[in-house]
Amino acid sequence: MAKLPLFRDCGTHDVHIAMLQNNPDYARARLSIEAQARNFLNSARAAEREMRRVIPVVVHVIYRSETENISDGQIASQIDALNRDFRMRNADLVNVPAPFKPLAADAQIEFVLARIDPAGQPTSGITRTKTAVPRFSTDNTMKFSVQGGHDAWDGSRYLNLWVCPEIFRGTTNQPLLGYAQFPGGLPATDGVAIVHQAFGTVGTSVVPFDLGRTATHEVAHWLDLFHIWGDMDDCTGDDHVDDTPRQQTANTNTPSFPHITCNNGPNGDMFMNYMDYVNDKAMFMFTIGQVARMQATLANARATIGLPHIAALAGVSALPG
């Protein structure tokens, strides 16, 4: 079995910074996306935050051994976990500390495996690719058929999830749980990659990453949420969300409340937020502000995905409730 990090670690910020430095089009797109988010949140369009979206998902399973070729049941358990977390139906929501409970919010976003593929043919919403690639990393190899992975489906219609044997940070031997691409990047690499041991709640998923929260964290990046500490270790980091307390750096494992940094007492860090680095069993919430930012993304940079006329092309209709 591939080595996992001792603590939650994701490569999204590294990929983001590299793209800002090497891709001028991405840098310009990110400036536009941030401006759109600010305008949306400050305008009458904020009423659109309540519009529910059902997002069609395709899961690309990349495997070398049959153990890594995870079951349909494991994939279904991940979709279920996403729906619980994004709709605030997770039972462990009761563990949110009392001072933060009023800030917990329903993202009004649901996920379902696609039933029609990009060619218009029936699908399970799952592709399976046996590969001889000896190593996967944040270089996006898993996202291209010619490189031993699987090509992305149309990102304007589908959320692409790649499930891999392992993911390393660049050319290093530092293992990651996964990484996402923020809105504004190349369509061919748009989506989320996750190791199979941190995907879903059954099968090959392992403690402490066995509640599906790696996908919750990474899909939220795909919807334009940043790490809650803003990826700075000196209290200057900004996640562009007003109702998440400023904190010094990532929290790991299962902290005790309150954990005070950056003069953020008496309640301290919101370490139970999905965008921190704690174990799966220690994260349970998005905030009102984070939900507003995700809805801004769905109104702008990802405006087509999940809309009824687009989702219908993927064989998906609105879910009840």
Side-chain angles (χ1 to χ4, degrees):
M1 182 176 290
K3 182 180 179 182
L4 292 178
L6 294 176
F7 310 109
R8 182 176 305 281
D9 197 1
C10 105
T12 300
H13 182 69
D14 296 336
V15 171
H16 169 62
I17 295 301
M19 291 174 68
L20 287 176
Q21 294 172 342
N22 299 317
N23 186 334
D25 290 338
Y26 177 72
R28 284 190 290 269
R30 290 303 308 168
L31 290 173
S32 176
I33 288 166
E34 286 299 334
Q36 289 170 345
R38 289 192 298 271
N39 291 338
F40 176 85
L41 297 174
N42 293 326
S43 74
R45 294 183 69 202
E48 296 177 27
R49 298 177 198 174
E50 299 303 317
M51 184 174 68
R52 187 164 56 96
R53 293 288 186 94
V54 181
I55 295 180
V57 178
V58 56
V59 177
H60 305 293
V61 180
I62 313 298
Y63 66 98
R64 292 186 293 256
S65 70
E66 285 307 312
T67 298
E68 298 161 351
N69 187 17
I70 63 172
S71 69
D72 290 0
Q74 185 169 344
I75 292 168
S77 77
Q78 180 61 77
I79 301 299
D80 289 344
L82 285 170
N83 285 322
R84 286 192 298 269
D85 291 348
F86 277 82
R87 290 307 314 272
M88 210 167 71
R89 294 170 178 165
N90 50 305
D92 52 6
L93 187 68
V94 299
N95 296 324
V96 175
F100 292 141
K101 283 185 184 295
L103 297 176
D106 178 351
Q108 295 284 324
I109 302 168
E110 296 171 5
F111 304 86
V112 64
L113 289 170
R115 302 186 186 103
I116 302 294
D117 73 12
Q121 299 301 308
T123 180
S124 63
I126 302 168
T127 72
R128 297 182 181 276
T129 302
K130 188 166 187 178
T131 186
V133 175
R135 169 194 168 99
F136 288 97
S137 74
T138 51
D139 66 1
N140 291 319
T141 300
M142 74 288 291
K143 301 178 181 180
F144 296 94
S145 297
V146 296
Q147 296 181 33
H150 196 289
D151 293 340
W153 289 10
D154 179 2
S156 69
R157 293 166 55 187
Y158 305 92
L159 163 59
N160 287 270
L161 301 181
W162 286 269
V163 183
C164 307
E166 77 287 305
I167 302 173
F168 291 99
R169 175 173 275 117
T171 59
T172 73
N173 290 320
Q174 184 175 357
L176 301 170
L177 296 183
Y179 71 102
Q181 181 171 291
F182 285 119
L186 295 174
T189 53
D190 192 33
V192 169
I194 299 173
V195 296
H196 69 92
Q197 304 100 315
F199 193 84
T201 63
V202 298
T204 64
S205 65
V206 297
V207 175
F209 311 118
D210 60 335
L211 298 180
R213 264 63 192 267
T214 298
T216 300
H217 178 103
E218 299 299 345
V219 170
H221 278 317
W222 178 82
L223 289 166
D224 212 25
L225 291 193
F226 286 85
H227 291 138
I228 194 170
W229 69 96
D231 290 288
M232 300 290 287
D233 294 339
D234 57 3
C235 297
T236 64
D238 184 5
D239 66 351
H240 306 289
V241 176
D242 291 339
D243 61 3
T244 54
R246 192 68 62 107
Q247 71 181 52
Q248 183 172 357
T249 189
N251 289 285
T252 58
N253 289 332
T254 54
S256 297
F257 176 82
H259 180 233
I260 297 172
T261 65
C262 300
N263 298 311
N264 61 9
N267 302 322
D269 297 354
M270 191 185 281
F271 58 77
M272 69 294 309
N273 193 284
Y274 292 126
M275 301 316 292
D276 209 336
Y277 267 7
V278 296
N279 292 346
D280 277 24
K281 69 177 183 179
M283 53 171 58
F284 345 105
M285 66 177 289
F286 291 120
T287 68
I288 295 168
Q290 287 175 318
V291 167
R293 184 173 171 87
M294 289 190 283
Q295 292 292 343
T297 301
L298 290 172
N300 292 290
R302 299 202 184 279
T304 59
I305 196 161
L307 288 179
H309 66 288
I310 298 293
L313 294 175
V316 172
S317 58
L319 298 178

